[in-house]
Amino acid sequence: MLEGADGCGKSSQARALCSWLDERGRAPLHVREPGSTPVGEALRRLLLAPETGDLEPISEALLFFAARAELVRNVIAPAVTAGRVVIAERSYLSTVVYQGFAGDGSVGADWLFDLARQVHGDFLPDRIFVLDVDAEVGANRRSRRVADRIETRGDEFQKRVRDGFRAAAQQDPRVELIDANGSLEEVRATLFAQVQERIG
Ligand code: Z5A
């Protein structure tokens, strides 16, 4: 799974990683959260549209988890069972960070970790690579496109997100931080080396 604050470059790296795995005959499955199922894509539109306005923090967290449950049970579990490598953009860690660590404190990160275990069952991600970028680098990459509902929460929120990912890396043994401040090629080289070490 690829994770990180907005503008960290995970979509670009996920695409590159899938091509690289494809060339090596691994036929990876590329998915994104929220999304990659009919219900997940509908929830994505709802969750990211600025017109949706404010949601109760717990409703927002549960809607991200509803999209995730559809994806894990209907898409990821069958693919992994069939022996495929799954590359996902985002994971339960985004909910722990965005709605937990960076939220208003009303949704506990521990409770979200427990919910992740319930939703994933035997299909928790093997590895979560967090592309870690400095605030200015992420903001600069982000500024090239229109902000979604969650991106409009401002710089202080983005700082809590970044700190949240770093804190999660200390607490969750599945998480690995990758310095993503460099060029696309530099980040790619570091990421691919880590993946190669994991899957051979
Ligand atoms: N969210 C949540 O709150 N809770 C949850 O549980 C989940 C999600 C699952 C949608 O996520 C929002 O949902 C997100 C978190 C929240 N919103 N916020 N805030 P998303 O993953 O779909 O959207 P995103 O985070 O905004 O990602 P993105 O738009 O796909 O950006 P990215 O994947 O991080 O970056 P990119 O598209 O690969 O690159 C952005 C630009 O930078 C592009 O022009 C690239 O060419 C450029 N780029 C990328 N890497 C580099 C390097 N290394 N050098 C130079 N330029 C680069």
Side-chain angles (χ1 to χ4, degrees):
M1 313 282 158
L2 294 186
E3 275 284 9
D6 327 328
C8 67
K10 69 195 147 25
S11 298
S12 309
Q13 296 299 342
R15 282 193 300 274
L17 183 56
C18 285
S19 306
W20 183 74
L21 288 167
D22 234 347
E23 285 158 17
R24 280 152 188 80
R26 297 300 296 256
L29 177 68
H30 184 180
V31 295
R32 66 174 182 179
E33 287 204 28
S36 297
T37 67
V39 169
E41 290 295 331
L43 288 173
R44 180 184 184 89
R45 286 192 289 280
L46 177 84
L47 282 160
L48 301 190
E51 310 81 69
T52 298
D54 290 339
L55 285 172
E56 286 299 321
I58 193 159
S59 311
E60 189 172 285
L62 289 172
L63 287 170
F64 277 114
F65 265 107
R68 180 165 304 124
E70 290 298 308
L71 178 64
V72 171
R73 309 283 170 105
N74 297 319
V75 178
I76 294 181
V80 171
T81 304
R84 286 184 81 183
V85 177
V86 178
I87 304 297
E89 293 181 40
R90 299 203 178 276
S91 69
Y92 68 82
L93 198 66
S94 281
T95 320
V96 169
V97 169
Y98 282 87
Q99 283 68 48
F101 290 143
D104 64 2
S106 64
V107 185
D110 288 347
W111 182 74
L112 292 170
F113 272 121
D114 283 346
L115 196 51
R117 279 189 279 272
Q118 295 285 325
V119 163
H120 282 271
D122 292 338
F123 296 93
L124 273 161
D126 285 339
R127 263 279 156 285
I128 301 177
F129 297 103
V130 172
L131 303 185
D132 185 40
V133 283
D134 295 338
E136 321 76 70
V137 176
N140 184 35
R141 291 183 193 165
R142 238 181 11 250
S143 69
R144 297 175 210 165
R145 56 171 173 67
V146 180
D148 65 41
R149 189 177 68 88
I150 291 171
E151 278 165 343
T152 56
R153 290 180 183 170
D155 291 347
E156 195 43 48
F157 179 78
Q158 293 299 340
K159 184 181 176 317
R160 292 204 299 276
V161 166
R162 192 156 284 102
D163 293 347
F165 276 117
R166 288 177 182 162
Q170 308 285 325
Q171 293 176 22
D172 187 333
R174 290 188 166 73
V175 179
E176 245 168 79
L177 278 191
I178 290 190
D179 181 350
N181 289 299
S183 69
L184 275 166
E185 292 69 28
E186 285 165 341
V187 179
R188 188 174 306 173
T190 313
L191 175 67
F192 288 12
Q194 303 266 19
V195 172
Q196 193 151 31
E197 206 177 285
R198 284 289 309 157
I199 66 171

